[in-house]
Amino acid sequence: DGGITQSPKYLFRKEGQNVTLSCEQNLNHDAMYWYRQDPGQGLRLIYYSQIVNDFQKGDIAEGYSVSREKKESFPLTVTSAQKNPTAFYLCASSLPSTGWDEQYFGPGTRLTVT
Amino acid sequence: AQSVTQLDSHVSVSEGTPVLLRCNYSSSYSPSLFWYVQHPNKGLQLLLKYTSAATLVKGINGFEAEFKKSETSFHLTKPSAHMSDAAEYFCVVANYGGSQGNLIFGKGTKLSVKP
């Protein structure tokens, strides 16, 4: 089955630690995205990547970093500089031929930092 | 600039009755509009997409939405609610004026379905 996997589903970290969230897709999509979701809010774009070895900041990139060394993988690191890291993180991908804006989402990772 | 406003944060219906989830949009361009659904602790699933072809868009699971330019609305409807429809629904506009890849999400409408 083609799809997007995110691991782990739940992640707990102590304040001051960096943490990396995994996102893998086997849809052969060119573009990948990271969003953050807070209760009662819509999703906000953190970073996106249209091709391997290239990525762009979204609306709330401060305190986050990404890499895109392989087409199928787009890991997100939440650094200690992120002031409010506790949130639900969603990864998505899209294929430009069907429209970059038609995005397919993974199941999400819920990060709790205490 | 693009934006969307979901007019209700919570809608409750009885099983078998119609569903109406309201969304107004603002866009400087001819917009691409979407509805996504999110079940608890899950990712988002695309319900339907409007891209200026037909104003009435049919989606999955019996949902449809009508694009009304004069009212700047894109309301989501379903004739008969099912228990499995209970979820959170997001109205989304593509932000062509901003970063490519930037979808602008409404704050969501939580749909409850009573037996």
Side-chain angles (χ1 to χ4, degrees), chain A residues 11 13-14 16-22 34-36 46-47 61-66 75-87 89 109 111-113:
Chain A
L11 191 53
R13 282 293 182 269
K14 295 289 187 185
Q17 293 179 335
N18 291 354
V19 59
T20 297
L21 282 59
S22 169
W34 274 106
Y35 291 90
R36 171 185 172 130
I46 304 172
Y47 268 98
E62 185 176 350
Y64 299 97
S65 66
V66 294
L76 173 74
T77 296
V78 184
T79 75
S80 56
Q82 169 50 232
K83 294 179 181 177
N84 296 296
T86 294
Y89 290 88
T109 291
L111 173 64
T112 302
V113 177

Side-chain angles (χ1 to χ4, degrees), chain A residues 64-77:
Chain A
Y64 299 97
S65 66
V66 294
S67 63
R68 186 89 187 274
E69 297 176 1
K70 299 185 296 183
K71 185 176 184 178
E72 59 271 22
S73 178
F74 191 40
L76 173 74
T77 296

Side-chain angles (χ1 to χ4, degrees), chain B residues 8-28:
Chain B
D8 307 290
S9 59
H10 192 194
V11 170
S12 182
V13 301
S14 297
E15 191 174 20
T17 64
V19 175
L20 170 64
L21 305 182
R22 300 181 296 164
C23 173
N24 287 350
Y25 72 90
S26 173
S27 178
S28 306

